[in-house]
Amino acid sequence: MPSEQADFVVIGGGPAGAAAALMLRRHAPGRRVALFEAGRHDLIKPGEVLAGVAQGLLRQLGVWTPFVAAAFVENRAVVSAWAGEALDERHSIFSAQGAGWQLDRARFDRLLVQAAAAAGAQVRLGSEVRSAVREGEGWRLNLTDGDIIASAVIWATGRSWRLARCFGAKLRVHGHLAAYTRFFDRAPGDCRMVVEARPEGWWYSADLPDRRRVVACLTDPDLGNELRDPKSWYRAMAATQLIAPLLPPGARETATVVKSAGTATVDPAAGERWVAAGDSLFAADPLSSRGIVHALRSGILAAYAASDMVDGRDELARTRYAMIASQGFADYASALANHYAAAARWDTAFWQRRC
């Protein structure tokens, strides 16, 4: 049977991929856009905080109205015990960007993908791209349910870099980190995100819709193996100053997730008729709180770059996109190092590595 064809194929249905598909439909409405996502957005996932600056991006993508209607929890303050034991509270009322949100990520991702479908993108969930090979000026992608030929590809599969070799890209790991995360219900909050530095690493918590809560310990993978054991995790959590009081006696654990959370980039950021976006381009340490905003922004920029490639401006698009990605990483790396240095007051392996 003949292969399907599309002008643009987006691999990945997270915030970056959905943003790319939405922007392609808005920027080039006459072009065919297809989005393939291996999962179905029915699993719980970490990555819950969306900064207020994202409002402009959501408006640009045309999804602000359905986002507001989703009634995610507003993030009104960030409370931390970081550089010392004294508490630091930064209220959103004093931010020019306004309040952010504490998301149910699966619901947020579904919202964006549904918007992309409504905008005219062909969306297929549960369809994994197995491989990609050059064919003519474009790409032939092999999926679980057939092949598709694309003039240009946006690669946005998150922290899965299995397709890197297909695109001739190399993964560069800049820092290791793992998030040992547990989700709870019957644990209402007060619209605050809480961060606490501890000898073993740092802890994070935020309340989520429907009286739910996420609590995570972030440390190096070789230091955190014991945190996979519930007793060890709860024992370490009980020693925290700010996090432990957030779980009331009636809180009930509903899910456990262990995910890589270190810093990684791909090189190059774009190649012949392909562009990386979101975590596939640049996976950031969660301490930077830039994950979802970066995904949305890079998805938008990747859409413009891919469109330029199809319109014959391939080299210019690659050069410009690589320059933006490189500058973004340089700014991030410097700020992250300074932030960790401010809390390095323990003589433990985690903090010694960050001095």
Side-chain angles (χ1 to χ4, degrees):
M1 294 181 62
S3 300
E4 294 183 70
Q5 295 190 359
D7 296 294
F8 303 101
V9 166
V10 179
I11 310 175
L22 277 162
M23 186 49 59
L24 284 168
R25 289 299 303 154
R26 293 171 70 87
H27 179 64
R31 306 273 196 178
R32 185 183 176 198
V33 179
L35 182 152
F36 299 98
E37 162 59 35
R40 296 185 178 277
H41 297 317
D42 54 356
L43 300 176
I44 196 165
K45 63 171 70 174
E48 304 82 16
V49 176
L50 182 63
V53 69
Q55 180 177 158
L57 299 173
L58 296 174
R59 290 185 183 276
Q60 186 178 357
L61 292 169
V63 297
W64 175 244
T65 297
F67 177 79
V68 172
F72 292 110
V73 174
E74 190 175 81
N75 172 243
R76 296 175 184 163
V78 176
V79 180
S80 64
W82 189 255
E85 293 185 2
L87 303 187
D88 176 37
E89 182 165 357
R90 301 182 183 182
H91 201 283
S92 63
I93 196 171
F94 300 113
S95 170
Q97 300 170 352
W101 300 270
Q102 295 165 194
L103 306 176
D104 175 331
R105 265 300 303 281
R107 181 146 60 97
F108 178 68
D109 289 359
R110 286 196 299 270
L111 182 153
L112 292 179
V113 166
Q114 289 165 2
Q122 175 195 349
V123 173
R124 194 179 301 171
L125 302 181
S127 185
E128 180 183 7
V129 176
R130 294 172 169 171
S131 64
V133 295
R134 287 284 278 167
E135 183 164 301
E137 293 187 345
W139 291 86
R140 176 182 288 271
L141 307 178
N142 175 249
L143 297 94
T144 51
D145 50 359
D147 285 7
I148 187 168
I149 297 173
S151 298
V153 174
I154 294 177
W155 171 31
T157 54
R159 287 179 176 267
S160 171
W161 292 279
R162 185 179 51 79
L163 295 174
R165 182 175 295 180
C166 298
F167 294 119
K170 292 183 178 180
L171 176 66
R172 304 197 182 280
V173 178
H174 304 273
H176 295 282
L177 194 69
Y180 299 85
T181 308
R182 294 177 186 271
F183 292 85
F184 301 85
D185 64 9
R186 306 172 189 168
D190 55 1
C191 302
R192 300 189 304 171
M193 180 175 73
V194 181
V195 177
E196 180 175 352
R198 293 285 300 162
E200 66 273 17
W202 57 277
W203 289 76
Y204 150 83
S205 183
D207 48 313
L208 304 176
D210 304 320
R211 297 168 56 87
R212 292 180 295 123
R213 174 165 296 280
V214 57
V215 180
C217 179
L218 291 100
T219 188
D220 292 333
D222 62 322
L223 304 176
N225 282 331
E226 66 177 20
L227 293 174
R228 293 179 181 271
D229 174 58
K231 291 183 179 179
S232 296
W233 189 94
Y234 279 101
R235 188 183 307 116
M237 190 270 296
T240 61
Q241 174 190 1
L242 300 182
I243 303 296
L246 298 174
L247 286 179
R252 180 175 65 98
E253 183 183 313
T254 58
T256 301
V257 180
V258 179
K259 290 284 188 180
S260 171
T263 301
T265 58
V266 292
D267 184 26
E272 295 184 356
R273 295 289 184 99
W274 68 267
V275 186
D279 282 354
S280 294
L281 169 68
F282 168 19
D285 186 312
L287 186 62
S288 67
S289 297
R290 59 169 285 153
I292 303 177
V293 169
H294 159 68
L296 295 172
R297 183 177 287 125
S298 68
I300 292 170
L301 293 174
Y304 285 121
S307 184
D308 284 344
M309 290 176 178
V310 171
D311 289 340
R313 297 184 292 276
D314 193 290
E315 186 173 350
L316 174 62
R318 278 185 282 165
T319 301
R320 185 165 51 195
Y321 191 75
M323 181 179 65
I324 294 171
S326 177
Q327 186 59 55
F329 176 74
D331 294 343
Y332 155 88
S334 175
L336 185 70
N338 291 336
H339 203 44
Y340 270 117
R345 61 187 188 273
W346 289 285
D347 186 22
T348 58
F350 181 86
W351 294 104
Q352 285 178 347
R353 295 170 182 176
R354 288 157 175 82
C355 290

